[in-house]
Amino acid sequence: MPPLSLSERALVDGPTALRPWQDADLPAIVAACQDPEIARWTRVPADYNERHARAFLLEREEALRSGTTVSYAIAAARDLDRLLGSASILRIDERHRRGEIGYWLAREARGQGHATRAVRLISAWGFETLGLERLELQIGVGNGASQRVAERAGFTREALRRSYMLSARGRLDMITFGLLPIDWRPIAGSGG
Ligand SMILES: CC(C)(COP(=O)(O)OP(=O)(O)OC[C@H]1O[C@@H](n2cnc3c(N)ncnc32)[C@H](O)[C@@H]1OP(=O)(O)O)[C@@H](O)C(=O)NCCC(=O)NCCS
């Protein structure tokens, strides 16, 4: 697949920005990923340490080159050095023009709409810049916070996939949410 590149300018919606990862994010990544809720619901490993964060930053470059994953840091729009979380499009399938979005927020950044705005921003960018025609979210059945993000961001609940993912706590049943360009509409409080 052709190499991908990130937007050079930060993508911004109100207080939320997406920008490329930087080496200086390393301590904030390690601190955020100590939260067991992240390992519980994502593929981020439990017992997260600096080695994991270094590998994560290196893999992002590698994945861009191979054209399969694009990953942005979620940052504060007023202070782009302040890391709030992560938003990625994974498993990009060029032939079928689809990809899967994954995200997490540092615990202290939750409850303010950053994840919803980040999902809107990366979805718009995926449709407009990568030319994708379908975006998916795979969310654990018990992960109510993330399901609310999906719904607020305009995704449609489509299917239940039993025993779909192996997380730090064992196998998870997942709900697939989907978003197509025709579903796109302005959302209150979002510039996207
Ligand atoms: C999933 C996760 C990112 C959701 O974080 P979040 O803070 O609930 O999501 P948002 O940033 O969109 O904030 C939404 C909350 O802020 C509130 N909020 C405040 N201002 C808001 C605004 N302008 N717009 C939207 N929501 C706003 C909402 O009411 C909502 O709270 P509620 O769920 O109690 O109703 C977070 O729980 C997390 O990182 N979990 C661990 C990793 C994970 O599960 N990742 C997803 C795997 S599928």
Side-chain angles (χ1 to χ4, degrees), residues 59-108:
E59 281 161 18
R60 300 305 96 185
E61 297 289 325
E62 192 68 33
L64 271 179
R65 275 194 291 274
S66 67
T68 55
T69 300
V70 282
S71 186
Y72 281 101
I74 307 174
R78 295 179 69 169
D79 176 5
L80 288 177
D81 287 335
R82 204 176 128 226
L83 182 74
L84 302 177
S86 168
S88 309
I89 308 181
L90 319 152
R91 282 177 271 288
I92 294 171
D93 184 325
E94 195 195 10
R95 177 181 153 92
H96 297 287
R97 296 194 172 278
R98 66 180 180 225
E100 181 186 325
I101 295 180
Y103 48 87
W104 53 257
L105 280 183
R107 188 174 274 281
E108 62 278 8

Side-chain angles (χ1 to χ4, degrees), residues 15 35-43 74 86 101-107 109-118 137-140 143-149 152 174 188-190:
D35 174 13
E37 283 297 292
I38 295 183
R40 179 176 182 192
W41 299 118
T42 72
R43 293 175 179 83
I74 307 174
S86 168
I101 295 180
Y103 48 87
W104 53 257
L105 280 183
R107 188 174 274 281
R110 294 180 194 159
Q112 301 159 56
H114 288 301
T116 303
R117 287 186 291 268
L137 300 172
Q138 310 292 350
I139 304 181
N143 192 354
S146 189
Q147 290 171 38
R148 288 195 293 279
V149 170
R152 274 193 298 266
M174 310 287 279
S190 166

Side-chain angles (χ1 to χ4, degrees), residues 111-130:
Q112 301 159 56
H114 288 301
T116 303
R117 287 186 291 268
V119 169
R120 294 279 296 172
L121 282 168
I122 202 167
S123 299
W125 183 82
F127 289 145
E128 287 162 13
T129 306
L130 300 185

